[in-house]
Amino acid sequence: MIRSVVRGFGAALPKQVMTNKEMESKVDTSDEWIVQRTGIRQRYIASEGETTASLGESAARAALARADLTADDLDLIIVATSTPDNTFPATAVNIQNRLGMRHGAAFDLQAVCSGFVYAVATADAYIRGGLAKRALVIGAETFSRILDWSDRTTCVLFGDGAGAIILEAQEGAGTNADRGVLTAQLRSDGIHGDKLYVDGGPSTTGTVGHLRMEGREVFKHAVGMITDVIEAAFEATGTTADDVDWLVPHQANRRIIDGSAKKLGIPLDKVVVTVDVHGNTSAASIPLALDTAAADGRIKKGDLVMLEAMGGGFTWGSVLIRW
């Protein structure tokens, strides 16, 4: 059977770092309060001239270089983002143009913090269906542009950045030993739409709006939803928590990450955590964490890697990959 195998990975971060100490000068908060409740110590903030598309392009070029490929080798670009450069055209088309790619297809996908998981699942479906041989999947965000910097409950949480992987069609035996995407589990429930949202948009206010969140409600649902899709992935593949080499979660909150791992029985030394240095970068958080752990040698060829995320909507999902 055809599997979607990771051929390359890359990441990009803005130049500016904002520490918790610097955040204290913006809002009534403290480094101690932020670290205790979230695990975040710093985040990257896009400066003028740095956009979702420019960060996504840099991550894409890094992934192409690591895969020893060019844009001509791609058939498909999917960009997961909630902070596009423009309402339209899609940021993916913008990046396609920046890369000099004049063929194939490119489009954006919006599932907020679950966006990268949804995008990987979508690219995998294209590849398994024979519609693409190689897909560039990017998670890119500039959440600093939609934050209310007077709201200390949200502005301390988020940062900017981009990460990318290249998926390539390769033949597998149809077993869990195959490299590539083994299963994807996606969920959503719109009843929770008012718990994490942006209070603006072209069709309603005609403005970009700002991010709003009921933190306690999000936290209350997060661990249960995350474990739901991970257990579904185990059931679909006949694997267990003991088989997982690395859990790469959405980097929203250290307490959610630790709580989910504990509930699933996955040791914390098998969990990739970058929330302390990146903050919550929404759809970019998983590919940024993947790049960090794969570049430093923790994630190796043949490892079983579980990706999971939950985001506004609510949306949530998991992808199990043999690296």
Side-chain angles (χ1 to χ4, degrees), residues 10-280:
L13 291 163
K15 297 181 181 70
Q16 180 188 357
V17 176
M18 182 180 290
T19 65
N20 289 348
K21 283 294 182 185
E22 292 173 272
M23 190 68 74
E24 290 175 1
S25 67
K26 288 185 170 291
V27 291
D28 182 16
T29 190
S30 69
D31 175 65
E32 182 183 12
W33 187 92
I34 298 170
V35 172
Q36 181 182 5
R37 285 163 177 76
T38 70
I40 298 168
R41 297 183 182 277
Q42 64 170 48
R43 73 285 296 148
Y44 289 80
I45 303 296
S47 302
E48 185 177 354
E50 292 179 316
T51 70
T52 296
S54 70
L55 292 168
E57 177 197 0
S58 296
R61 291 189 183 279
L64 286 166
R66 188 168 266 113
D68 194 24
L69 296 170
T70 71
D72 289 337
D73 298 311
L74 302 172
D75 306 297
L76 175 67
I77 299 175
I78 304 176
V79 175
T81 187
S82 298
T83 52
D85 279 31
N86 303 94
T87 301
F88 70 84
T91 299
V93 176
N94 187 335
I95 293 173
Q96 179 189 32
N97 182 51
R98 288 165 178 258
L99 295 175
M101 179 179 166
R102 299 287 177 263
H103 64 278
F107 60 88
D108 289 357
L109 186 153
Q110 220 283 46
V112 201
C113 299
S114 306
F116 187 75
V117 167
Y118 270 62
V120 169
T122 302
D124 176 53
Y126 270 74
I127 288 171
R128 287 188 293 105
L131 297 176
K133 291 184 178 179
R134 292 192 189 96
L136 171 63
V137 183
I138 303 170
E141 303 281 16
T142 46
F143 255 54
S144 63
R145 305 262 160 83
I146 58 169
L147 296 178
D148 177 351
W149 287 94
S150 67
D151 180 4
R152 67 174 183 170
T153 65
T154 58
C155 73
V156 301
L157 303 176
F158 295 90
D160 305 330
I165 63 171
I166 295 171
L167 294 175
E168 179 179 81
Q170 294 184 16
E171 288 190 6
T175 71
N176 289 337
D178 291 349
R179 291 185 64 209
V181 175
L182 301 181
T183 188
Q185 305 291 324
L186 306 179
R187 309 277 192 275
S188 67
D189 188 348
I191 197 172
H192 303 292
D194 61 350
K195 296 179 177 65
L196 177 54
Y197 65 100
V198 169
D199 60 1
S203 185
T204 52
T205 63
T207 64
V208 173
H210 292 108
L211 183 147
R212 305 299 179 194
M213 180 173 69
E214 295 181 21
R216 287 190 179 88
E217 285 296 309
V218 175
F219 188 91
K220 185 173 73 175
H221 288 87
V223 173
M225 288 178 169
I226 289 164
T227 53
D228 160 54
V229 287
I230 291 178
E231 288 171 350
F234 289 150
E235 183 177 350
T237 56
T239 55
T240 68
D242 292 337
D243 299 312
V244 173
D245 294 297
W246 294 103
L247 173 64
V248 184
H250 167 50
Q251 307 289 317
N253 182 302
R254 183 62 193 256
R255 291 191 295 170
I256 294 174
I257 293 170
D258 290 352
S260 301
K262 182 177 180 181
K263 187 172 180 180
L264 290 159
I266 298 176
L268 291 181
D269 60 5
K270 288 186 173 184
V271 182
V272 177
V273 179
T274 61
V275 68
D276 54 329
V277 293
H278 295 154
N280 182 345

Side-chain angles (χ1 to χ4, degrees), residues 246 248 272 289-290 293-301 303 305 323:
W246 294 103
V248 184
V272 177
L290 274 175
D296 68 20
R298 276 178 287 174
I299 296 178
K300 298 179 288 294
K301 182 178 179 179
D303 282 354
V305 180
W323 199 255

